Amino acid sequence: MLQCLSGGSCVRVIEGYRSTWYFLVLVAAYVVYLIFGALVFSAVELPYEEQLRKELRAVKQQFLDDNECLSDERLEEFLAKALEASNYGVSVLNNATTSWNWDFTSALFFASTVLSTTGYGHTVPLSDGGKAFCIIYSVVGIPFTLLFLTAVVQRIMEFSSRRPVEYLHHRWGMSKPLLAGLHASLLAVITISCFFLIPAIIFSVLEEEWNFLESFYFCFISLSTIGLGDYVPGEGYHQRFRELYKLGITFYLILGLIAMLVVLETFCELQQLKKLRKMFYLKKQKTEDQLNIVDHDHLSFASVSDQASSFREDKTDVFPDDMVSTSPTATSNGPMGQ
């Protein structure tokens, strides 16, 4: 008996806090996924890093052996300066002096990466004034960008997702959840083709040192706003039409980000995903004031209903009484009464 009671209480506790248990499972799964990613990245990349370190030390030692007049300290000082300048987007190589990081098109590309929170990191402000302006520009610009993207996506969704699904639902009579799922899948295929596969082919042709995988990697890292900065187009030596190329990449990133948001919003509106999300949400509970208002409205409605029903009963009771009370009078006033 006690086991049954304890088992029943456990079931009631689990049922009462179901969303909390689901949320804890979600947190645990996310932590496991983070650890899984760390283990895979460490296992894959650590041997390459070790190999690169060995090769770099060997090249440095060979350079010092060939130039005995140069000390290790002077070389370290020069390399530190060169690496620091490289982190700010300035190269010491002779064939890289023709490319400027802060002409108009490059600055426009940088502004787009800041506002979209992509942030490649290959070009950063050098002066204190530029850093201060970047903070102010981002504080105003990032919410402005979110507002702009939300308005654009909402209008595109109306014509690209909602109306087509409604039209096909009324035309073919298919269930709306099924049509929404098929439409979202088709929209995802079109977006991947137009903003990932085709641009990857174009970048692999325009960028001499990029293959298709590296180009596709750049497209995904950019449009998902990860922005690692290890691959940035238009930074090659003697890049032809560099200004026009940078301008085209800026528009590609903006349009691609809008397309990604449209696809994500389309999937988020699917009934299946809505049910999945609600599993982890905290259930909204009515406050005491709201409950009092509801109870008051219910009581008022009940009292009005009672008054209306009593009024109907009075009406039904009055007419027979009148008929009973008036019928003898009518009889007495009739010919026989006379």
Side-chain angles (χ1 to χ4, degrees), residues 109 120 122 196 198-222 228-237 239 245-246 249 252-253:
F109 179 73
Y120 292 113
H122 71 293
F196 288 91
I198 296 176
I201 296 173
I202 296 174
F203 282 128
S204 63
V205 174
L206 296 178
E207 298 291 333
E208 297 179 355
E209 299 180 356
W210 293 12
N211 55 31
F212 177 79
L213 177 60
E214 292 169 336
S215 302
F216 188 88
Y217 169 81
F218 162 76
C219 294
F220 177 79
I221 292 297
S222 300
L228 296 178
D230 48 351
Y231 289 93
V232 180
E235 299 297 322
Y237 306 138
Q239 180 71 51
Y245 188 34
K246 283 283 188 180
I249 296 170
Y252 160 74
L253 292 177

Side-chain angles (χ1 to χ4, degrees), residues 33-88:
Y33 194 72
L34 282 175
I35 296 174
F36 169 74
L39 293 174
V40 173
F41 282 126
S42 178
V44 173
E45 296 296 329
L46 193 59
Y48 285 92
E49 180 186 0
E50 185 178 0
Q51 181 66 26
L52 184 59
R53 287 176 181 271
K54 291 180 180 179
E55 293 177 357
L56 192 58
R57 284 195 295 265
V59 170
K60 177 185 174 183
Q61 187 60 42
Q62 184 64 38
F63 181 80
L64 290 174
D65 293 340
D66 295 339
N67 300 272
E68 297 179 356
C69 60
L70 182 64
S71 63
D72 190 11
E73 292 77 11
R74 294 294 302 275
L75 180 61
E76 289 282 345
E77 183 180 355
F78 171 75
L79 291 177
K81 276 286 187 181
L83 291 175
E84 182 181 1
S86 179
N87 291 332
Y88 284 98

Side-chain angles (χ1 to χ4, degrees), residues 6-22:
S6 61
S9 61
C10 290
V11 171
R12 286 194 296 271
V13 169
I14 293 174
E15 290 292 333
Y17 296 93
R18 178 180 295 180
S19 62
T20 303
W21 291 111
Y22 284 154

Side-chain angles (χ1 to χ4, degrees), residues 2 10 14 54 58 76 99 102 113 115 150 152 170 185 209 240 253-254 287 337:
L2 292 176
C10 290
I14 293 174
K54 291 180 180 179
E76 289 282 345
S99 299
W102 294 106
T113 59
L115 295 183
T150 302
V152 172
H170 292 295
S185 301
E209 299 180 356
R240 298 179 60 186
L253 292 177
I254 296 174
T287 60

